[in-house]
């Protein structure tokens, strides 16, 4: 089922779709050339918003959960991509150590871990699960709602390697975003591949760095297609030294909210868009839909309730928020059964392997949908991400829309590649 676009303002997106479909050979060649120069993240998911007049990524996750929300029909694509990714990194690999998040009693998350285990097992690897939780001192089994189960085991660290009892892996795959910091047990693994790298975790990573890289990628892509980069790029700014609980540094947030709203208004005027612009203020690090606020006028920041200030002060694992990104809000005008929806695209290596719609009946077009009460509807990528239909009227073909989503998601993945290169602490710097 494909959500319908509830807006009359779909002219620019229909034009963008037509341009992307017509330019498919040039786009695929451009991506191939980029991947010759840059290494894709091991796996990625991207939240996309379709406003009808603009299509843009609003978040890029380098430790994606939610693999269980992909349909079984998408498994062959994921397995094939997993094989390609592993062959590139460690062709002789036979053992893979998968390290999940610590909140191991969340059965939805554990089902995601089980799906990852399945994907890499079908790719021909022995997969076992190791826990960063110091309380896991013996193999511990968790039953899943579908009757499956997973067993996590305590990690064993030698001087240069990480493994489990009677299990020495070539590759260590993190499905833990390191929000709480980088554990010593993961440092200094010089003889094993650790994926994604430590600086991809939220202990180091910043969203503003990612969207700086995305802006660069979007401009290159827009030049290739002869279009306005704003149609696929959310404007943003950032503020450091912010403390919402103590109301410190909020002058910077107010000034940047005001300036960004002014820029968006000018673009709306240029395109004849009558929507009221808004911005999203969110923690520059962290995930799980925490530390996020919608602002339509800078004056609203003077009236923020204590509850909201407290909500903005802390993200996952109790980490305090001291830096925020102020991002142009991209409304979503997609609906599924009258509920607001947004696509989330999943990739492994450089391949789109599937995705789903995040649907929330109680949220508005200008609100974060990654919140309690959301549910998921599969995207029909299994048959269509690389099979667009040229010549079909824009907006009328699900494969064409999915292909367009896949292109924007790959742009965000490429931006993540740029971002990881720029922030790599081990990279050689040349003057």
């Amino acid at each position: 089922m494909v959500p319908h676009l509830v807006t009359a303002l779909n002219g620019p997106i229909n034009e963008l779709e037509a341009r992307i479909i017509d330019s498919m050979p040039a786009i695929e060649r451009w991506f191939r050339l980029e991947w010759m120069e840059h290494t894709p993240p091991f796996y990625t998911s991207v939240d996309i918003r379709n406003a009808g007049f603009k299509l843009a990524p609003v978040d890029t996750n380098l430790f994606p959960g939610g693999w269980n929300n992909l349909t079984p029909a998408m498994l062959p694509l994921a397995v094939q991509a997993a094989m390609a990714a592993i062959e590139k990194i460690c062709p002789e690999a036979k053992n893979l150590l998968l390290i999940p998040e610590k909140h191991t009693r969340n059965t939805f998350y554990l089902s995601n871990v089980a799906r990852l285990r399945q994907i890499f097992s079908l790719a021909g690897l022995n997969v076992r699960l190791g826990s960063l939780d110091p309380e896991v001192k013996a193999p511990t089994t968790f039953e899943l709602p579908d009757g499956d189960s997973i067993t996590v085991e305590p990690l064993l660290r030698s001087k240069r390697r990480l493994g489990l009892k009677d299990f020495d892996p070539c590759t260590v795959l993190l499905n833990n975003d390191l929000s709480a910091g980088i554990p010593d047990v993961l440092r200094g693994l010089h003889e094993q591949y650790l994926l994604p790298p430590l600086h991809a975790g939220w202990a180091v990573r910043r969203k503003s760095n990612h969207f700086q890289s995305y802006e660069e990628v979007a401009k290159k892509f827009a030049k290739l297609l002869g279009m306005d980069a704003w149609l696929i790029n959310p404007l943003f700014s950032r503020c450091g030294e912010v403390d919402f609980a103590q109301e410190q540094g909020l002058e910077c947030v107010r000034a940047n909210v005001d300036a960004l709203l002014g820029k968006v208004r000018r673009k709306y005027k240029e395109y004849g868009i009558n929507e009221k612009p808004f911005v999203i203020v969110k923690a520059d690090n962290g995930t799980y839909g925490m530390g996020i606020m919608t602002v339509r006028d800078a004056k609203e920041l003077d009236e923020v309730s204590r509850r909201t200030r407290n909500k903005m002060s802390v993200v996952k694992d109790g980490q305090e928020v001291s830096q925020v990104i102020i991002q142009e809000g991209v409304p979503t005008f997609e609906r599924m059964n009258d509920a607001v929806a947004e696509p989330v695209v999943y990739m492994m290596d450089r391949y789109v392997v599937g995705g789903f719609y995040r649907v929330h009946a109680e949220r508005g077009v200008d609100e974060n949908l990654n919140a309690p009460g959301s549910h998921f509807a599969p995207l029909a990528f299994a048959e269509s991400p690389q099979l667009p239909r040229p010549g079909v009227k824009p907006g009328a073909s699900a494969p064409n829309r999915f292909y367009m989503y896949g292109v924007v998601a790959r742009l965000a993945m490429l931006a993540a590649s740029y971002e990881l290169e720029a922030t790599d602490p081990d990279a050689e710097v040349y003057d």
Side-chain angles (χ1 to χ4, degrees):
M1 181 180 180
V2 184
H4 57 287
L5 204 58
V6 187
T7 175
L9 297 168
N10 55 16
I13 283 300
N14 283 349
E15 289 166 23
L16 179 63
E17 181 185 306
R19 189 167 297 202
I20 284 176
I21 299 302
D22 290 347
S23 306
M24 183 185 166
I27 289 170
E28 295 305 325
R29 177 178 181 272
W30 182 81
F31 272 121
R32 282 196 299 274
L33 293 174
E34 286 288 333
W35 294 129
M36 288 173 70
E37 300 288 329
H38 305 281
T39 303
F42 187 80
Y43 54 7
T44 316
S45 70
V46 179
D47 296 359
I48 296 173
R49 307 276 289 214
N50 187 349
F53 54 83
K54 178 170 185 147
L55 180 73
V58 293
D59 219 351
T60 302
N61 191 349
L62 300 182
F63 299 84
W67 289 90
N68 53 309
N69 294 317
L70 275 59
T71 64
M74 297 175 188
L75 262 180
L77 282 174
V79 171
Q80 214 168 0
M83 286 177 172
I86 292 291
E87 273 172 31
K88 200 187 295 181
I89 294 152
C90 186
E92 71 279 14
K94 61 177 183 177
N95 293 339
L96 176 79
L97 173 60
L98 176 58
I99 299 181
E101 294 279 359
K102 286 186 188 177
H103 55 269
T104 45
R105 280 163 183 75
N106 179 333
T107 54
F108 292 107
Y109 175 73
L110 292 177
S111 296
N112 150 74
V113 175
R115 176 58 62 86
L116 279 172
R117 180 188 62 186
Q118 180 187 21
I119 289 169
F120 290 104
S121 296
L122 291 171
L125 295 168
N126 301 314
V127 184
R128 282 167 65 178
L129 312 177
S131 178
L132 289 170
D133 191 339
E135 294 183 14
V136 176
K137 300 186 188 306
T140 307
T141 299
F142 298 92
E143 302 298 327
L144 302 179
D146 63 358
D148 198 0
S149 66
I150 65 168
T151 299
V152 295
E153 303 175 59
L155 294 170
L156 293 177
R157 176 66 198 254
S158 64
K159 188 176 179 183
R160 300 173 78 84
R161 295 183 75 83
L162 183 65
L164 307 173
K165 186 180 179 184
D166 303 322
F167 189 75
D168 184 28
C170 159
T171 304
V172 178
L173 178 62
L174 293 173
N175 197 240
N176 180 313
D177 61 24
L178 306 179
S179 291
I182 299 172
D184 288 340
V185 74
L186 296 179
R187 296 182 187 272
L189 297 176
H190 299 297
E191 297 178 356
Q192 288 170 304
Y193 294 95
L194 180 66
L195 302 166
L198 292 178
H199 67 284
W202 287 121
V204 178
R205 190 177 178 226
R206 295 294 177 266
K207 293 179 182 182
S208 51
N209 288 337
H210 174 73
F211 283 100
Q212 189 76 54
S213 295
Y214 183 79
E215 189 173 289
E216 183 184 344
V217 168
K219 284 177 178 174
K220 284 186 182 180
F221 184 78
K223 187 177 180 183
L224 175 75
L225 264 64
M227 55 176 268
D228 181 357
W230 178 76
L231 294 172
I232 55 170
N233 180 38
L235 305 174
F236 78 97
S237 57
R238 71 191 98 187
C239 283
E241 307 303 319
V242 175
D243 186 333
F244 277 92
Q246 301 300 321
E247 297 188 61
Q248 293 173 352
L250 298 190
E251 305 79 18
C252 175
V253 180
R254 285 188 199 95
N256 277 276
V257 164
D258 207 35
L260 195 56
L261 283 169
K263 287 181 184 176
V264 178
R265 279 189 204 100
R266 286 191 287 277
K267 293 304 287 188
Y268 278 20
K269 188 174 181 183
E270 179 185 337
Y271 282 92
I273 296 162
N274 295 320
E275 299 296 318
K276 184 175 174 63
F278 65 98
V279 298
I280 301 293
V281 179
K282 54 187 174 183
D284 207 6
N285 63 319
T287 179
Y288 280 74
M290 299 173 76
I292 297 178
M293 177 169 57
T294 301
V295 183
R296 300 164 191 82
D297 190 311
K299 292 174 186 169
E300 292 174 19
L301 292 167
D302 297 328
E303 300 156 13
V304 172
S305 69
R306 177 170 291 281
R307 185 181 173 204
T308 301
R309 285 202 304 273
N310 289 339
K311 188 182 78 171
M312 291 297 296
S313 300
V314 180
V315 288
K316 186 186 164 203
D317 290 334
Q319 298 303 297
E320 293 183 1
V321 175
S322 61
Q323 298 168 306
V324 296
I325 177 172
I326 298 101
Q327 189 178 59
E328 173 189 352
V330 182
T332 177
F333 286 114
E334 293 196 86
R335 294 284 188 286
M336 183 171 277
N337 299 329
D338 294 327
V340 176
E342 67 182 8
V344 185
V345 178
Y346 276 63
M347 292 159 288
M348 195 170 289
D349 194 55
R350 59 195 177 94
Y351 305 103
V352 173
V353 298
F356 52 81
Y357 279 100
R358 182 183 287 121
V359 184
H360 205 305
E362 294 165 20
R363 291 285 171 119
V365 298
D366 58 358
E367 292 183 289
N368 168 46
L369 303 189
N370 186 7
S374 62
H375 68 276
F376 308 102
L379 273 168
F381 265 129
E383 299 170 7
S384 61
Q386 298 297 339
L387 298 175
R389 298 174 185 167
V392 174
K393 180 184 172 187
S397 164
N400 284 4
R401 193 193 295 186
F402 294 153
Y403 178 73
M404 186 166 63
Y405 291 163
V407 167
V408 171
R410 283 185 288 162
L411 293 175
M413 176 171 58
L414 180 59
S417 175
Y418 281 35
E419 169 200 358
L420 291 177
E421 287 167 14
T423 57
D424 185 352
D426 299 322
E428 294 183 30
V429 180
Y430 300 94
D431 290 329

